[in-house]
């Protein structure tokens, strides 16, 4: 950014009572942040990665969940109802992507008078957040904020980028935005299966939001999305899964579970031979711009993959999550 542009931003901030993030490290309390094309880049970051929160940062855009934003979010509570976003630990019984199934054992401690619960769990088997250690910048093997495989496994292993930092920072508490794409698609007669690579483009999400009375553009562009919002997109996987595995009688339930197992166990490998297919948001530049420029604190969905799987856009768009987790959004 030129000196002239920096001075112009300062004048604009004074006139509009804003505080614009212009240099690294960003102050989470800023009220305006740069677009994806204008965000400053660190010299040690892979191309496209926005490591803007400081060299020792461990939580990425969760920095945006400031006390002021959490307090403002609480003011929007109307009914006070509590809703769990977790599936049961054993759902799905056969996980996607060939993950290990959940196992639960009860340990008898004192001859029927005291018990312990023993869990064996691959955290990727069901409801979960992808932490920054989950996937790297594939070309360089670099994880968020310059963490490497040697920081995760081996004699030099440490806790850099560990997901426990999210909990230490207070967890995820903020204003949620739910886009119910499944309900929108059903209303509009758009039929698809969540067990296919149905792609939801930005324009469809925009129309979905409009149907709900929400302008999904960021506030900086005249929309309703606030900095630090937590995005959820319902594509219909959970509804379809339960509809398949449930039966009117025991035989129907068994057949449904067998059918699901065949779907979940479709061939999985990195590359064009991958047989897994899941509906989700489309891999496109417009989607990346939107996810970045809204400055969501986190994003999630009800599908095994937040985005449509597999990617159909080549190496750069291996995964949207790839950019979300290395710090590009």
């Amino acid at each position: 950014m030129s000196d002239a542009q920096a001075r112009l931003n300062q004048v604009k901030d004074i006139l509009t009572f804003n505080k614009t993030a212009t240099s690294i490290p960003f102050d989470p309390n800023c009220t305006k942040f740069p677009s994806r094309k204008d965000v400053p880049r660190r010299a040690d970051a892979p191309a496209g990665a926005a490591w803007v929160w400081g060299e020792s940062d461990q939580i990425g855009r969760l920095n945006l969940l400031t006390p002021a934003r959490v307090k403002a979010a609480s003011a929007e509570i109307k009914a006070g109802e509590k809703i769990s976003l977790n599936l049961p630990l054993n759902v799905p019984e056969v996980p996607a992507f060939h993950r290990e199934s959940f196992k639960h054992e009860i340990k008898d401690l004192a001859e029927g008078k005291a018990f312990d619960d023993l869990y064996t769990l691959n955290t990727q088997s069901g409801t979960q957040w992808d932490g920054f250690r989950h996937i790297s910048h594939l070309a360089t093997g670099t994880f968020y904020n310059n963490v490497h495989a040697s920081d995760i496994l081996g004699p030099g292993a440490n806790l850099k980028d560990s997901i426990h930092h999210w909990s230490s920072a207070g967890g995820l508490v903020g204003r949620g935005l739910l886009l119910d794409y499944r309900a929108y698609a059903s209303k509009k007669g758009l039929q698809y299966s969540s067990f296919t690579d149905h792609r939801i483009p930005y324009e469809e999400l925009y129309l979905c939001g409009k149907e709900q009375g929400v302008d999904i553009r960021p506030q900086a562009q005249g929309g309703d999305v606030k900095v630090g919002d937590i995005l959820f997109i319902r594509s219909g996987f959970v509804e379809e899964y339960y509809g398949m595995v449930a039966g009117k009688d025991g035989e129907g339930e068994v057949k449904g579970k067998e059918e699901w197992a065949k779907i979940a166990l479709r061939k999985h490998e990195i590359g064009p031979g991958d047989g897994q297919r899941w509906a989700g948001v489309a891999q496109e530049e417009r989607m990346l711009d939107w996810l970045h420029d809204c400055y969501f604190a986190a994003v999630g969905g009800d599908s095994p993959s937040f985005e449509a799987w597999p990617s159909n856009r080549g190496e750069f768009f291996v995964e949207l999550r790839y950019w979300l987790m290395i710090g590009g959004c």
Side-chain angles (χ1 to χ4, degrees), residues 252-272:
E253 183 176 350
V254 169
K255 287 184 177 179
K257 290 183 176 181
E258 290 175 349
E259 185 177 357
W260 163 250
K262 291 177 181 178
I263 292 172
L265 295 175
R266 290 175 293 191
K267 182 179 179 181
H268 178 47
E269 63 180 35
I270 302 300

Side-chain angles (χ1 to χ4, degrees), residues 36-66:
R36 179 173 166 242
K37 64 182 178 62
D38 296 325
V39 70
R41 309 290 179 177
R42 264 175 37 191
D44 60 342
W51 295 349
V52 298
W53 305 107
E55 293 184 4
S56 62
D57 180 62
Q58 307 277 358
I59 63 173
R61 286 201 174 180
L62 295 188
N63 281 290
L64 295 171
L65 298 176
T66 62

Side-chain angles (χ1 to χ4, degrees), residues 8-19:
L8 179 60
N9 285 338
Q10 289 175 351
V11 172
K12 287 181 178 178
D13 282 354
I14 292 172
L15 295 176
T16 60
F17 301 99
N18 279 307
K19 181 179 181 181

